[in-house]
Amino acid sequence: MELQTLTYLVVGATFALYIGIAIWARAGSTKEFYVAGGGVHPVANGMATAADWMSAASFISMAGLIAYFGYGGSVFLMGWTGGFVLLAMLLAPYLRKYGKFTVPEFIGDRYYSRAARIVAVVCLIVCSVTYVIGQMKGIGVAFSRFLEVDYDTGLLIGMMIVFFYAVMGGMKGITYTQIAQYCVLILAYTIPAIFISLHLTGNPIPQLGFGSTLAGSETYLLDKLDQVVTELGFAEYTTQTRLSTLNMFVYTMSLMIGTAGLPHVIIRFFTVPKVRDARTSAGWALIFIAILYTTAPAVAGMARLNLMNTIEPTKGENLVYDERPQWFKNWEKTGLLKFEDKNGDGRIQYTADKTTNEMVKVDRDIMVLANPEIAKLPNWVIALVAAGGLAAALSTAAGLLLAIASAISHDLLKGVLMPNITEVQELRASRIAMAGAIGVAGYLGFNPPDFAAGTVALAFGLAASSIFPALMLGIFSKRCNKEGAIAGMIAGLSVTLLYVFQHKGIMFIASTSFLGDMSPNWFFGIEPNAFGAIGALVNFAVALTVSRLTQEPPEHVQEMVEHIRIPVGAGQATGH
Amino acid sequence: MAFKNEEDRKAYWKENLSLVAILLVIWFVVSFGAGVLFADALNSIRLGGYKLGFWFAQQGSIYTFVVLVFVYSKKMGDLDRKYGVEEDE
């Protein structure tokens, strides 16, 4: 069957499955809309968390970035998994014990202040919307390739589907759908990796194949890769650092702390029956995530090697442009891959030198989707990858939109501005909020600040600098009070936002950047994507200092902290 | 409060904190230590085709994280029972 037809068929079938589940599990009450009735098994919850977590950034973008950054790409691998260790040990069990719906609700109660709750809502919206922009980039890439249209059209169609999809169900629908989405995306990710690993090294397990010798040779795959890229003037794959060791350190830390501070992931731990389950849920989620994250570096390295071999099949004999493979032509249509014959020899030169390089545009975000085609895998595998990419983008976008919607309707409207609205009105408000968020993120997604994974990294930085310290201090420091937490959140978020905006532009609109996105202007050479860790440090420092200088929290709040520190007596999650 | 006395409450929290501290030290060493700060030095050692620092950054740290979370979950369960603050079945 032809590739295009097959792709429509596979993508159509998986969508029918998700929508079917969403309708079957339609949320009736606000409680079900937000937290799925508190009755989800840890393994199921872990799987759904994994789907929620692994977005277009993980699925579509990450391996492409690693393919270009080599060792430097490790920041994403360590950052996006190591954060779960922090989440499991420092936040999840305690927030579950506390037993409410949303992150701002906890902050509002713990810091006995509506102002703190509102500040938390603002922080949450800023980082979630940034995150959705990253997803929109991924969705745009996936749909443009899948429908063979340009990026902007792909994005527009994607936005409409996300809207329909997220507004339909709530958490309950999403939880079951996300389990299905996890299965689709993990198969879509690992099957091509197994094929490629088998083909290149004879070992079907990509994690092992990546460290093995090439089939029919004594040379290790990684040594060959290092040799191929350095010959063309690129940095050595296994040692190329991302700017500097300090930058890598801070970047990784920022992603880790951000992981533990992202509201749409934290909200997941409210849905398990017990505190004990919150601890194991994080472990299960991490296992399901690790399957993809340990495969990704192999996908990245092998894709890079295959790409290099396609362009220069034998030494000195570069690919003739007119004989380029079909995948090359398809991606040219999306505008995400561009060739320019600079020396007029009709062949493709791909080098590190800007003046002679003829692959003038290779959007990193196309690598994973193009990978099975580059490796000449069967058509059904290529179709499956398209379905997996869409599953990843949709599941995360839906989870994020839900977090935004609950922050606006539940925390801002019901909690502060209009306490008397009915459940029906609250549900309606949350659906309107979702639509608004899709609109804003989609609009900004036409000119995203970075590749999908880079944009998402910014969102993590914002979460790291604002939400995580307030939550952690709320549990581990009885002395931390309302003044400290509010000052800390505002300081952390402002420092990070200012740093990001002055380099990336206000609201990421590049023309409004007043310093230009240039490394000489960076503070100690730390790139904006990595600045969240510094913001978090500022937040901690300000919160602790201000708390010391002001009155200690009232008795009942200190008792509440004692209460959430032990598992016994955790009821179901409640909202009122 | 479910504790028998104030000492128990303090002891429970202290044991909890020291468990988390130990696990977070390991967390730090495998990722920031072996994967970032000492990656260059470790790269002189090979694990098959992998250079060791590179392996920690792209594989080893992730495996360790999974183990850490499950060890934490198990140990905390034991600790809850020791002090009688576990949840009802």
Side-chain angles (χ1 to χ4, degrees):
Chain A
M1 204 185 295
E2 213 180 314
L3 176 59
Q4 190 68 10
T5 335
L6 199 60
T7 313
Y8 276 120
L9 213 66
V10 175
V11 172
T14 54
F15 268 65
L17 176 69
Y18 309 147
I19 293 171
I21 295 174
I23 292 172
W24 168 68
R26 244 190 114 167
S29 68
T30 43
K31 183 167 183 320
E32 282 183 333
F33 192 80
Y34 297 133
V35 294
V40 183
H41 189 272
V43 177
N45 193 55
M47 216 180 255
T49 309
D52 210 338
W53 175 243
M54 291 189 292
S55 60
S58 297
F59 189 99
I60 299 175
S61 185
M62 186 175 68
L65 286 178
I66 301 171
Y68 287 88
F69 296 143
Y71 163 71
S74 314
V75 295
F76 299 112
L77 295 165
M78 289 186 283
W80 284 335
T81 52
F84 272 85
V85 178
L86 296 178
L87 186 61
M89 295 182 193
L90 302 178
L91 302 181
Y94 306 107
L95 294 176
R96 170 64 194 87
K97 172 65 193 295
Y98 165 70
K100 291 281 178 73
F101 283 157
T102 67
V103 169
E105 205 167 11
F106 172 78
I107 290 181
D109 284 1
R110 166 61 184 83
Y111 296 110
Y112 48 97
S113 149
R114 291 213 305 203
R117 187 169 179 175
I118 294 170
V119 172
V121 169
V122 173
C123 296
L124 187 153
I125 291 172
V126 170
C127 58
S128 300
V129 169
T130 310
Y131 201 146
V132 183
I133 301 173
Q135 298 310 309
M136 289 297 174
K137 168 77 198 290
I139 289 171
V141 172
F143 274 97
S144 63
R145 168 64 190 86
F146 160 52
L147 301 170
E148 302 197 343
V149 291
D150 64 71
Y151 170 76
D152 289 356
T153 317
L155 177 57
L156 207 61
I157 296 168
M159 274 166 68
M160 291 191 288
I161 291 178
V162 171
F163 173 73
F164 172 71
Y165 178 78
V167 171
M168 284 269 305
M171 198 64 163
K172 186 161 176 231
I174 290 177
T175 302
Y176 294 112
T177 317
Q178 282 178 332
I179 294 170
Q181 283 168 331
Y182 177 78
C183 298
V184 171
L185 83 85
I186 202 70
L187 285 175
Y189 206 83
T190 48
I191 290 174
I194 291 169
F195 268 111
I196 295 170
S197 177
L198 198 59
H199 176 76
L200 281 176
T201 68
N203 192 327
I205 300 168
Q207 288 85 340
L208 300 178
F210 196 37
S212 311
T213 52
L214 289 163
S217 127
E218 290 295 294
T219 320
Y220 282 114
L221 188 154
L222 280 162
D223 291 339
K224 174 73 180 172
L225 181 57
D226 276 344
Q227 181 209 333
V228 169
V229 294
T230 45
E231 273 172 6
L232 292 168
F234 296 100
E236 190 179 61
Y237 191 85
T238 54
T239 55
Q240 73 182 107
T241 312
R242 179 118 177 97
L243 301 173
S244 66
T245 302
L246 173 71
N247 185 62
M248 279 190 71
F249 186 98
V250 178
Y251 205 145
T252 308
M253 188 61 94
S254 182
L255 296 183
M256 284 191 184
I257 303 177
T259 299
L262 271 174
H264 77 291
V265 177
I266 297 175
I267 216 172
R268 279 272 160 216
F269 295 94
F270 295 121
T271 63
V272 292
K274 288 176 183 305
V275 173
R276 196 168 55 233
D277 300 330
R279 294 178 191 143
T280 41
S281 268
W284 284 109
L286 190 52
I287 286 191
F288 292 124
I289 291 165
I291 297 173
L292 187 142
Y293 272 68
T294 53
T295 309
V299 169
M302 291 173 187
R304 180 82 179 266
L305 192 61
N306 275 335
L307 179 68
M308 293 303 191
N309 284 338
T310 306
I311 289 170
E312 197 175 358
T314 39
K315 190 94 199 95
E317 290 274 317
N318 284 41
L319 184 69
V320 176
Y321 181 67
D322 290 335
E323 293 168 14
R324 68 194 186 284
Q326 188 59 41
W327 64 264
F328 202 110
K329 294 176 193 163
N330 289 342
W331 282 105
E332 281 180 315
K333 267 184 237 165
T334 64
L336 298 167
L337 183 70
K338 281 191 189 118
F339 166 79
E340 192 188 317
D341 197 3
K342 287 180 183 162
N343 60 3
D345 68 350
R347 290 171 184 270
I348 302 171
Q349 266 85 27
Y350 185 25
T351 62
D353 184 355
K354 278 213 171 64
T355 52
T356 57
N357 177 35
E358 298 179 344
M359 297 280 274
V360 287
K361 181 167 183 187
V362 188
D363 193 293
R364 311 300 190 239
D365 291 348
I366 71 174
M367 281 306 286
V368 168
L369 295 176
N371 191 27
E373 292 179 275
I374 300 174
K376 304 191 186 86
L377 295 184
N379 281 351
W380 66 268
V381 179
I382 301 167
L384 187 62
V385 172
L390 293 173
L394 282 178
S395 62
T396 307
L400 282 163
L401 290 166
L402 193 72
I404 297 172
S406 67
I408 291 177
S409 64
H410 189 75
D411 290 305
L412 208 58
L413 289 184
K414 182 144 183 104
V416 179
L417 300 176
M418 305 154 68
N420 297 324
I421 54 171
T422 62
E423 280 206 354
V424 177
Q425 286 172 311
E426 192 185 332
L427 274 180
R428 193 178 305 140
S430 69
R431 289 184 166 129
I432 295 170
M434 277 187 183
I438 295 172
V440 172
Y443 175 74
L444 294 170
F446 285 112
N447 291 298
D450 200 335
F451 301 112
T455 311
V456 166
L458 286 172
F460 279 78
L462 296 170
S465 64
S466 58
I467 296 169
F468 178 80
L471 291 177
M472 190 183 156
L473 290 174
I475 296 159
F476 288 87
S477 161
K478 272 197 273 182
R479 187 67 183 80
C480 189
N481 61 15
K482 130 178 119 179
E483 291 82 359
I486 295 173
M489 281 191 283
I490 293 175
L493 186 70
S494 320
V495 165
T496 313
L497 265 187
L498 277 176
Y499 192 78
V500 170
F501 281 177
Q502 67 191 0
H503 294 288
K504 295 262 175 198
I506 295 156
M507 278 326 285
F508 316 117
I509 298 161
S511 54
T512 59
S513 152
F514 37 94
L515 283 180
D517 195 5
M518 295 183 296
S519 48
N521 291 336
W522 290 344
F523 176 78
F524 282 110
I526 296 169
E527 60 188 307
N529 293 7
F531 208 70
I534 309 289
L537 207 63
V538 170
N539 186 336
F540 275 118
V542 169
L544 288 172
T545 316
V546 173
S547 292
R548 288 258 169 270
L549 300 175
T550 44
Q551 238 180 0
E552 68 175 63
E555 198 64 28
H556 76 273
V557 169
Q558 303 205 24
E559 264 166 33
M560 170 195 158
V561 177
E562 290 294 350
H563 180 70
I564 58 172
R565 285 180 179 181
I566 53 165
V568 69
Q572 287 232 321
T574 55
H576 309 288
Chain B
M1 210 56 18
F3 290 107
K4 284 198 269 318
N5 51 43
E6 184 65 13
E7 279 76 60
D8 263 17
R9 187 181 63 75
K10 284 200 175 127
Y12 170 82
W13 189 242
K14 208 174 151 204
E15 279 195 53
N16 177 352
L17 291 183
S18 59
L19 170 66
V20 170
I22 294 166
L23 296 176
L24 287 185
V25 166
I26 301 172
W27 164 84
F28 187 88
V29 166
V30 293
S31 51
F32 294 98
V36 180
L37 298 174
F38 305 112
D40 274 348
L42 289 175
N43 276 343
S44 56
I45 306 167
R46 304 278 298 224
L47 195 72
Y50 285 115
K51 291 172 179 162
L52 193 58
F54 179 81
W55 182 81
F56 264 108
Q58 303 211 334
Q59 298 277 315
S61 57
I62 302 173
Y63 300 130
T64 317
F65 296 154
V66 172
V67 175
L68 287 177
V69 175
F70 279 99
V71 169
Y72 169 76
S73 173
K74 169 81 182 56
K75 292 266 182 195
M76 279 308 285
D78 295 346
L79 191 64
D80 290 347
R81 273 185 293 280
K82 181 175 160 191
Y83 287 93
V85 290
E86 77 274 19
E87 294 159 287
D88 312 323
E89 283 312 315

